[in-house]
Amino acid sequence: MAEKRIKQRRTGIVAAIVAAGCVSCVLAGCIGFGFASAGSGASRDITSFGIDSLSDDSSAARSGFASEASDSEAREATVLVSATSRDISQGIAAIEAEEEAARRAAEEAARKEEEARIAAAQEARAAQQAQAAREGSAAAIAALGEVDWSVGKEAFLAEWTARIDAYLAGSPLAGQGATFAEAAWANGVDPRWSPAISNTESSKGAVCFRPYNAWGWMGTTTWGSWEEAINAHVAGLASYYGYSITVANAQKYCPPTYQDWFNKTIAQMQLI
Protein backbone atom coordinates (compact mmCIF):
# COMPACT_ATOMS: atom_id res chain seq x y z
CA MET A 1 0.00 0.00 0.00
CA ALA A 2 2.76 2.42 0.91
CA GLU A 3 4.50 1.78 -2.37
CA LYS A 4 1.24 2.33 -4.22
CA ARG A 5 0.72 5.70 -2.54
CA ILE A 6 4.27 6.75 -3.35
CA LYS A 7 3.74 5.84 -6.97
CA GLN A 8 0.47 7.80 -7.03
CA ARG A 9 2.14 10.81 -5.46
CA ARG A 10 4.96 10.70 -8.03
CA THR A 11 2.45 10.39 -10.82
CA GLY A 12 0.63 13.46 -9.54
CA ILE A 13 3.81 15.52 -9.35
CA VAL A 14 4.79 14.59 -12.89
CA ALA A 15 1.33 15.50 -14.13
CA ALA A 16 1.53 18.90 -12.42
CA ILE A 17 4.91 19.61 -13.99
CA VAL A 18 3.62 18.66 -17.44
CA ALA A 19 0.57 20.87 -16.99
CA ALA A 20 2.69 23.83 -15.94
CA GLY A 21 4.88 23.35 -18.99
CA CYS A 22 1.86 23.33 -21.25
CA VAL A 23 0.55 26.56 -19.72
CA SER A 24 3.95 28.21 -20.21
CA CYS A 25 4.02 27.20 -23.84
CA VAL A 26 0.54 28.59 -24.42
CA LEU A 27 1.40 31.89 -22.75
CA ALA A 28 4.65 32.16 -24.74
CA GLY A 29 2.76 31.51 -27.95
CA CYS A 30 0.21 34.17 -27.15
CA ILE A 31 2.80 36.75 -26.27
CA GLY A 32 4.81 35.92 -29.41
CA PHE A 33 1.64 36.29 -31.47
CA GLY A 34 1.07 39.66 -29.84
CA PHE A 35 4.58 40.83 -30.76
CA ALA A 36 4.09 39.64 -34.31
CA SER A 37 0.78 41.45 -34.56
CA ALA A 38 2.22 44.67 -33.17
CA GLY A 39 5.22 44.47 -35.54
CA SER A 40 3.01 43.87 -38.58
CA GLY A 41 0.84 46.91 -37.94
CA ALA A 42 -2.43 44.86 -37.26
CA SER A 43 -5.40 46.74 -35.72
CA ARG A 44 -6.07 44.22 -32.97
CA ASP A 45 -6.17 45.71 -29.43
CA ILE A 46 -3.41 44.13 -27.42
CA THR A 47 -3.34 46.53 -24.49
CA SER A 48 -4.76 43.86 -22.20
CA PHE A 49 -1.50 42.04 -22.45
CA GLY A 50 0.60 45.17 -21.78
CA ILE A 51 2.37 44.77 -25.11
CA ASP A 52 2.57 48.52 -25.76
CA SER A 53 4.63 49.10 -22.69
CA LEU A 54 6.64 46.01 -23.42
CA SER A 55 7.32 47.25 -26.93
CA ASP A 56 8.36 50.66 -25.66
CA ASP A 57 10.65 49.13 -23.09
CA SER A 58 12.02 46.70 -25.65
CA SER A 59 12.66 49.49 -28.18
CA ALA A 60 14.42 51.55 -25.56
CA ALA A 61 16.48 48.56 -24.57
CA ARG A 62 17.35 47.82 -28.16
CA SER A 63 18.23 51.47 -28.72
CA GLY A 64 20.41 51.45 -25.63
CA PHE A 65 22.12 48.27 -26.73
CA ALA A 66 22.65 49.67 -30.24
CA SER A 67 24.11 52.88 -28.83
CA GLU A 68 26.44 50.95 -26.54
CA ALA A 69 27.44 48.67 -29.42
CA SER A 70 28.09 51.68 -31.65
CA ASP A 71 30.20 53.36 -28.97
CA SER A 72 32.09 50.14 -28.41
CA GLU A 73 32.75 49.70 -32.13
CA ALA A 74 33.90 53.32 -32.40
CA ARG A 75 36.29 52.84 -29.48
CA GLU A 76 37.61 49.62 -31.01
CA ALA A 77 38.05 51.33 -34.38
CA THR A 78 39.92 54.21 -32.75
CA VAL A 79 42.18 51.77 -30.92
CA LEU A 80 42.84 49.83 -34.14
CA VAL A 81 43.62 52.98 -36.13
CA SER A 82 45.91 54.21 -33.38
CA ALA A 83 47.67 50.89 -33.15
CA THR A 84 47.99 50.68 -36.94
CA SER A 85 49.42 54.20 -37.10
CA ARG A 86 51.97 53.32 -34.44
CA ASP A 87 52.90 50.13 -36.29
CA ILE A 88 53.29 51.99 -39.61
CA SER A 89 55.30 54.78 -37.99
CA GLN A 90 57.59 52.29 -36.31
CA GLY A 91 57.97 50.38 -39.60
CA ILE A 92 58.82 53.54 -41.53
CA ALA A 93 61.30 54.60 -38.86
CA ALA A 94 62.97 51.18 -39.01
CA ILE A 95 63.22 51.29 -42.82
CA GLU A 96 64.64 54.82 -42.74
CA ALA A 97 67.19 53.76 -40.12
CA GLU A 98 68.25 50.79 -42.29
CA GLU A 99 68.54 52.98 -45.37
CA GLU A 100 70.60 55.55 -43.51
CA ALA A 101 72.90 52.84 -42.16
CA ALA A 102 73.31 51.40 -45.67
CA ARG A 103 74.04 54.86 -47.09
CA ARG A 104 76.71 55.53 -44.47
CA ALA A 105 78.25 52.10 -45.02
CA ALA A 106 78.38 52.72 -48.79
CA GLU A 107 79.97 56.13 -48.29
CA GLU A 108 82.55 54.67 -45.93
CA ALA A 109 83.36 51.87 -48.38
CA ALA A 110 83.72 54.39 -51.23
CA ARG A 111 85.99 56.57 -49.09
CA LYS A 112 88.23 53.63 -48.21
CA GLU A 113 88.38 52.54 -51.84
CA GLU A 114 89.34 56.05 -52.93
CA GLU A 115 92.07 56.24 -50.31
CA ALA A 116 93.40 52.86 -51.46
CA ARG A 117 93.46 54.01 -55.11
CA ILE A 118 95.35 57.18 -54.21
CA ALA A 119 97.87 55.33 -52.08
CA ALA A 120 98.50 52.70 -54.78
CA ALA A 121 98.92 55.34 -57.50
CA GLN A 122 101.33 57.38 -55.40
CA GLU A 123 103.36 54.28 -54.62
CA ALA A 124 103.51 53.35 -58.32
CA ARG A 125 104.55 56.89 -59.23
CA ALA A 126 107.38 56.71 -56.68
CA ALA A 127 108.55 53.46 -58.28
CA GLN A 128 108.55 55.13 -61.72
CA GLN A 129 110.61 58.04 -60.43
CA ALA A 130 113.09 55.66 -58.84
CA GLN A 131 113.42 53.77 -62.14
CA ALA A 132 113.90 57.04 -64.04
CA ALA A 133 116.68 58.01 -61.66
CA ARG A 134 118.46 54.70 -62.26
CA GLU A 135 118.29 54.94 -66.04
CA GLY A 136 119.16 58.63 -66.32
CA SER A 137 115.75 59.86 -67.53
CA ALA A 138 114.73 61.61 -64.34
CA ALA A 139 114.89 65.07 -65.93
CA ALA A 140 112.56 64.06 -68.77
CA ILE A 141 110.09 62.48 -66.37
CA ALA A 142 110.18 65.50 -64.08
CA ALA A 143 109.37 67.76 -67.04
CA LEU A 144 106.01 66.04 -67.33
CA GLY A 145 104.80 67.37 -64.02
CA GLU A 146 103.09 65.17 -61.48
CA VAL A 147 99.52 63.93 -61.56
CA ASP A 148 97.74 64.99 -58.37
CA TRP A 149 95.91 61.92 -57.10
CA SER A 150 95.18 63.40 -53.69
CA VAL A 151 92.32 65.52 -55.06
CA GLY A 152 90.06 62.47 -55.06
CA LYS A 153 88.15 60.68 -57.79
CA GLU A 154 85.61 63.35 -58.72
CA ALA A 155 88.12 66.15 -59.16
CA PHE A 156 90.59 63.80 -60.87
CA LEU A 157 88.04 62.73 -63.46
CA ALA A 158 86.85 66.27 -64.11
CA GLU A 159 90.38 67.57 -64.70
CA TRP A 160 91.68 64.76 -66.88
CA THR A 161 88.53 64.30 -68.91
CA ALA A 162 88.77 67.92 -70.03
CA ARG A 163 92.51 67.78 -70.70
CA ILE A 164 92.39 64.55 -72.70
CA ASP A 165 89.34 65.68 -74.69
CA ALA A 166 91.24 68.84 -75.67
CA TYR A 167 94.21 66.75 -76.76
CA LEU A 168 92.11 64.32 -78.84
CA ALA A 169 89.88 66.92 -80.49
CA GLY A 170 89.45 66.32 -84.22
CA SER A 171 90.78 62.74 -84.09
CA PRO A 172 88.92 59.41 -84.30
CA LEU A 173 89.32 59.18 -80.52
CA ALA A 174 87.67 62.57 -79.92
CA GLY A 175 85.26 62.63 -76.98
CA GLN A 176 86.87 59.67 -75.19
CA GLY A 177 88.46 61.78 -72.46
CA ALA A 178 86.13 60.45 -69.78
CA THR A 179 86.85 56.84 -70.79
CA PHE A 180 90.61 57.41 -70.54
CA ALA A 181 90.28 59.24 -67.22
CA GLU A 182 88.02 56.56 -65.69
CA ALA A 183 90.34 53.79 -66.80
CA ALA A 184 93.39 55.63 -65.46
CA TRP A 185 91.74 56.12 -62.05
CA ALA A 186 90.57 52.51 -61.87
CA ASN A 187 94.03 51.11 -62.72
CA GLY A 188 96.31 53.66 -61.03
CA VAL A 189 97.97 54.68 -64.29
CA ASP A 190 99.17 58.10 -65.46
CA PRO A 191 96.11 59.37 -67.43
CA ARG A 192 98.36 60.85 -70.17
CA TRP A 193 100.15 57.65 -71.06
CA SER A 194 97.59 55.72 -73.13
CA PRO A 195 96.37 58.75 -75.14
CA ALA A 196 99.98 59.65 -75.96
CA ILE A 197 100.79 56.10 -77.10
CA SER A 198 97.77 56.23 -79.42
CA ASN A 199 99.43 59.15 -81.23
CA THR A 200 102.83 57.44 -81.47
CA GLU A 201 101.30 54.23 -82.81
CA SER A 202 98.37 55.38 -84.96
CA SER A 203 98.03 59.20 -85.02
CA LYS A 204 95.26 59.01 -82.36
CA GLY A 205 93.40 56.17 -84.05
CA ALA A 206 93.63 57.44 -87.62
CA VAL A 207 95.70 54.52 -88.98
CA CYS A 208 94.82 51.48 -86.85
CA PHE A 209 96.09 48.19 -88.30
CA ARG A 210 93.36 46.30 -86.43
CA PRO A 211 89.80 47.50 -85.56
CA TYR A 212 89.91 49.94 -82.62
CA ASN A 213 93.53 49.03 -81.92
CA ALA A 214 95.17 52.46 -81.82
CA TRP A 215 98.17 51.34 -79.76
CA GLY A 216 99.79 48.54 -81.78
CA TRP A 217 98.77 46.34 -78.91
CA MET A 218 99.60 42.63 -78.79
CA GLY A 219 99.99 42.15 -82.53
CA THR A 220 96.58 41.06 -83.84
CA THR A 221 94.38 42.26 -80.97
CA THR A 222 91.03 43.73 -82.02
CA TRP A 223 88.14 45.21 -80.02
CA GLY A 224 84.53 46.09 -80.68
CA SER A 225 84.50 49.73 -79.57
CA TRP A 226 86.76 52.54 -78.41
CA GLU A 227 85.47 52.15 -74.86
CA GLU A 228 86.35 48.46 -74.78
CA ALA A 229 89.73 49.12 -76.37
CA ILE A 230 90.69 51.99 -74.03
CA ASN A 231 89.79 50.05 -70.89
CA ALA A 232 91.71 47.00 -72.08
CA HIS A 233 94.79 49.00 -73.07
CA VAL A 234 95.01 50.98 -69.81
CA ALA A 235 94.51 47.81 -67.76
CA GLY A 236 97.26 46.16 -69.82
CA LEU A 237 99.64 49.04 -69.13
CA ALA A 238 99.00 48.69 -65.41
CA SER A 239 99.59 44.92 -65.52
CA TYR A 240 102.65 44.73 -67.77
CA TYR A 241 104.39 48.11 -67.49
CA GLY A 242 103.39 49.92 -64.32
CA TYR A 243 102.47 53.49 -63.58
CA SER A 244 103.88 55.46 -66.51
CA ILE A 245 106.54 55.85 -69.13
CA THR A 246 110.21 55.06 -68.53
CA VAL A 247 113.04 54.07 -70.85
CA ALA A 248 112.78 50.53 -69.54
CA ASN A 249 109.07 50.46 -70.42
CA ALA A 250 109.84 51.83 -73.90
CA GLN A 251 112.29 48.94 -74.43
CA LYS A 252 109.52 46.48 -73.54
CA TYR A 253 106.84 48.20 -75.64
CA CYS A 254 108.86 48.92 -78.79
CA PRO A 255 112.24 47.11 -78.63
CA PRO A 256 113.58 47.98 -82.12
CA THR A 257 113.37 51.76 -81.73
CA TYR A 258 112.70 52.21 -78.06
CA GLN A 259 114.56 55.48 -77.57
CA ASP A 260 112.73 57.16 -80.44
CA TRP A 261 109.46 55.72 -79.13
CA PHE A 262 110.26 57.05 -75.66
CA ASN A 263 111.05 60.55 -76.93
CA LYS A 264 107.96 60.82 -79.13
CA THR A 265 105.59 59.45 -76.49
CA ILE A 266 106.84 61.59 -73.62
CA ALA A 267 106.67 64.67 -75.85
CA GLN A 268 102.98 63.91 -76.51
CA MET A 269 102.35 63.40 -72.79
CA GLN A 270 103.67 66.89 -72.17
CA LEU A 271 100.94 68.25 -74.49
CA ILE A 272 98.09 66.82 -72.44
Side-chain angles (χ1 to χ4, degrees):
M1 290 296 291
E3 290 180 1
K4 186 176 181 179
R5 284 196 298 274
I6 291 170
K7 289 180 179 180
Q8 290 175 346
R9 191 178 299 116
R10 288 177 179 173
T11 302
I13 292 170
V14 170
I17 292 171
V18 171
C22 291
V23 172
S24 298
C25 289
V26 171
L27 287 174
C30 292
I31 292 171
F33 178 76
F35 275 118
S37 298
S40 66
S43 60
R44 182 179 175 184
D45 185 6
I46 55 175
T47 56
S48 59
F49 291 100
I51 298 303
D52 285 344
S53 60
L54 270 173
S55 297
D56 292 342
D57 292 344
S58 178
S59 297
R62 285 196 300 271
S63 178
F65 288 144
S67 178
E68 290 179 3
S70 179
D71 291 344
S72 176
E73 290 174 357
R75 286 193 297 272
E76 290 178 359
T78 301
V79 170
L80 287 173
V81 170
S82 178
T84 301
S85 297
R86 286 196 301 272
D87 290 344
I88 292 173
S89 297
Q90 291 172 356
I92 291 173
I95 291 171
E96 289 177 346
E98 289 178 2
E99 290 177 346
E100 178 64 15
R103 183 187 65 79
R104 291 182 178 179
E107 287 180 351
E108 179 64 15
R111 184 187 64 79
K112 288 182 178 180
E113 181 182 358
E114 185 172 288
E115 290 177 350
R117 295 283 186 197
I118 293 170
Q122 290 174 335
E123 182 179 349
R125 183 178 62 193
Q128 177 216 18
Q129 291 171 342
Q131 174 63 30
R134 289 193 294 271
E135 65 192 18
S137 61
I141 298 299
L144 280 175
E146 292 188 359
V147 175
D148 187 2
W149 293 84
S150 66
V151 296
K153 181 178 181 179
E154 186 175 345
F156 178 94
L157 295 181
E159 176 186 357
W160 290 103
T161 294
R163 291 174 67 164
I164 295 169
D165 275 339
Y167 173 72
L168 296 173
S171 75
L173 281 164
Q176 294 296 331
T179 309
F180 278 107
E182 286 272 5
W185 174 269
N187 292 279
V189 169
D190 187 324
R192 300 165 292 191
W193 198 14
S194 181
I197 294 174
S198 78
N199 184 78
T200 303
E201 295 289 339
S202 69
S203 297
K204 303 176 185 177
V207 286
C208 299
F209 76 107
R210 289 287 184 270
Y212 297 103
N213 190 338
W215 303 271
W217 186 252
M218 299 297 180
T220 59
T221 300
T222 63
W223 291 290
S225 68
W226 284 127
E227 291 77 12
E228 180 187 2
I230 291 165
N231 280 288
H233 184 252
V234 175
L237 289 177
S239 297
Y240 299 110
Y241 297 88
Y243 175 74
S244 189
I245 192 169
T246 60
V247 174
N249 281 334
Q251 286 178 309
K252 289 170 63 177
Y253 203 105
C254 185
T257 57
Y258 72 89
Q259 191 62 55
D260 180 64
W261 189 94
F262 174 84
N263 293 335
K264 287 179 178 178
T265 303
I266 201 168
Q268 290 296 312
M269 293 176 71
Q270 290 173 348
L271 298 177
I272 302 174

